[in-house]
């Protein structure tokens, strides 16, 4: 475990941990937490296609600095454990190959194991923050687990069956099972989450009576957390408010 300088009110500690998933090999994960003894609320961080890379670890570090125990599992651990892909066309192509090997059942097993891991270490409540692919997974997890809140940043394919995670029925069809709060953040120019999909998501959340907020950032594209400083700053404020509202340190 290493201690890092503060990324918020708290100095943080980070380490790589193994999370037990069923009877198979453990799943690697990146853990960032406040250096203070706590306890602190837990947050599962859903990675993008590229694995638990520097950008995902930075999200964990920022959450830890704000007073949360953040755990980012390697959701490719069954097919390409520990692989971090470059954020370039080749890396994206490989990421989509690995995405095609994910199933709803195995991903929910992974997220459930992370929730159990956080709770076993004293973190309550547990929420989830997901980025792109991880955003889809966060929404899916909200339909299956007692998560206090989920922040979905530009999560794609929710109304479709285009990816295995969206089968047999679209993940959006499971919306009535959500019990926690949902924050959906997306850029106006996001090609992965077009306007029609955004409308379907907002309608599903409203019709199911889910406590939610949908925010569309003018002029922002997919992945704005790393490319649009103004949208990213507002997103971080909203995520912090969401997580604080359900149980902050």
């Amino acid at each position: 475990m290493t201690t890092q300088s503060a990324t918020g009110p708290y100095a943080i500690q980070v380490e790589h941990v193994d999370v037990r998933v069923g009877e198979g090999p453990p799943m690697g994960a990146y853990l960032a937490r406040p250096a203070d003894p706590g306890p602190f609320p837990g947050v599962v961080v859903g990675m993008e296609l590229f694995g638990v890379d520097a950008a995902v670890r930075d999200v964990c570090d920022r959450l830890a600095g704000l007073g949360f125990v953040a755990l980012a599992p390697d959701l490719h651990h069954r097919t390409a454990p520990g692989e971090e892909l470059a954020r370039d066309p080749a890396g994206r192509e490989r990421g989509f190959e690995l995405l095609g090997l994910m199933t709803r059942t195995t991903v929910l097993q992974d997220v459930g194991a992370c929730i159990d891991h956080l709770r076993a270490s004293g973190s309550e409540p547990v929420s989830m923050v997901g980025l792109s692919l991880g955003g889809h997974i966060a929404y899916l997890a909200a339909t299956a687990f007692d998560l206090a809140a989920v922040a979905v940043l530009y999560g794609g394919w929710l109304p479709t069956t285009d990816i295995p995670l969206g089968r047999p029925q679209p993940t959006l069809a499971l919306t009535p099972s959500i019990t926690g709060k949902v924050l959906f953040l997306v850029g106006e120019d996001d090609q992965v989450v077009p306007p029609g999909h955004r409308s379907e998501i907002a309608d599903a959340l409203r019709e199911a009576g889910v406590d939610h907020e949908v925010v569309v950032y003018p002029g922002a594209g997919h992945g704005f957390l790393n490319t649009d400083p103004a949208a990213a700053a507002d997103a971080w404020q909203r995520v912090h408010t969401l997580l604080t509202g359900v149980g902050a340190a």
Side-chain angles (χ1 to χ4, degrees):
M1 179 179 290
T2 60
T3 301
Q4 299 185 359
S5 60
T7 55
Y10 295 91
I12 69 172
Q13 294 178 333
V14 304
E15 62 180 320
H16 291 273
V17 298
D18 286 334
V19 176
R20 177 62 61 185
V21 182
E23 299 300 320
M27 172 176 60
Y30 179 80
L31 179 72
R33 58 165 295 126
D36 292 12
F40 297 96
V43 182
V44 180
V45 176
M47 68 186 204
E48 297 172 82
L49 285 171
F50 309 100
V52 184
D53 64 0
V56 175
R57 295 193 296 271
D58 179 67
V59 169
C60 292
D61 293 351
R62 290 193 62 163
L63 288 169
L66 294 171
F68 302 92
V69 180
L71 182 66
D74 174 13
L75 297 172
H76 291 322
H77 73 101
R78 289 181 171 83
T79 51
E83 188 167 351
E84 293 182 30
L85 303 172
R87 290 174 176 257
D88 60 17
R92 186 175 302 278
E93 182 179 0
R94 172 63 173 158
F96 273 105
E97 290 177 3
L98 296 175
L99 167 61
L101 300 175
M102 289 181 169
T103 70
R104 182 173 282 179
T105 298
T106 56
V107 164
L108 287 176
Q109 287 175 351
D110 294 344
V111 175
C114 289
I115 295 169
D116 292 344
H117 185 93
L118 287 167
R119 287 180 172 155
S121 64
S123 290
E124 283 282 4
V126 177
S127 299
M128 187 165 182
V129 174
L131 315 169
S132 191
L133 165 61
H136 186 119
I137 292 169
Y139 198 103
L140 175 63
T143 73
F145 300 110
D146 182 23
L147 291 166
V150 295
V152 179
L153 281 75
Y154 32 88
W157 310 291
L158 289 171
T160 77
T161 56
D162 292 345
I163 62 174
L165 292 176
R167 302 172 195 151
Q169 72 275 63
T171 296
L172 193 63
L174 306 175
T175 301
S177 298
I178 296 175
T179 57
K181 296 182 178 182
V182 175
L183 174 65
F184 193 92
L185 305 177
V186 64
E188 178 185 32
D189 299 333
D190 191 327
Q191 76 282 5
V192 181
V193 192
H197 287 191
R198 299 198 294 265
S199 296
E200 289 186 62
I201 292 163
D203 289 347
L205 289 165
R206 183 181 63 255
E207 291 168 6
V210 175
D211 186 351
H212 73 280
E213 182 180 18
V214 176
V215 180
V216 180
Y217 292 105
H222 193 74
F224 62 76
L225 203 64
N226 297 314
T227 60
D228 188 318
D234 184 81
W236 270 110
Q237 183 178 39
R238 291 177 186 274
V239 169
H240 189 203
T241 299
L242 174 76
L243 299 177
T244 299
V246 297

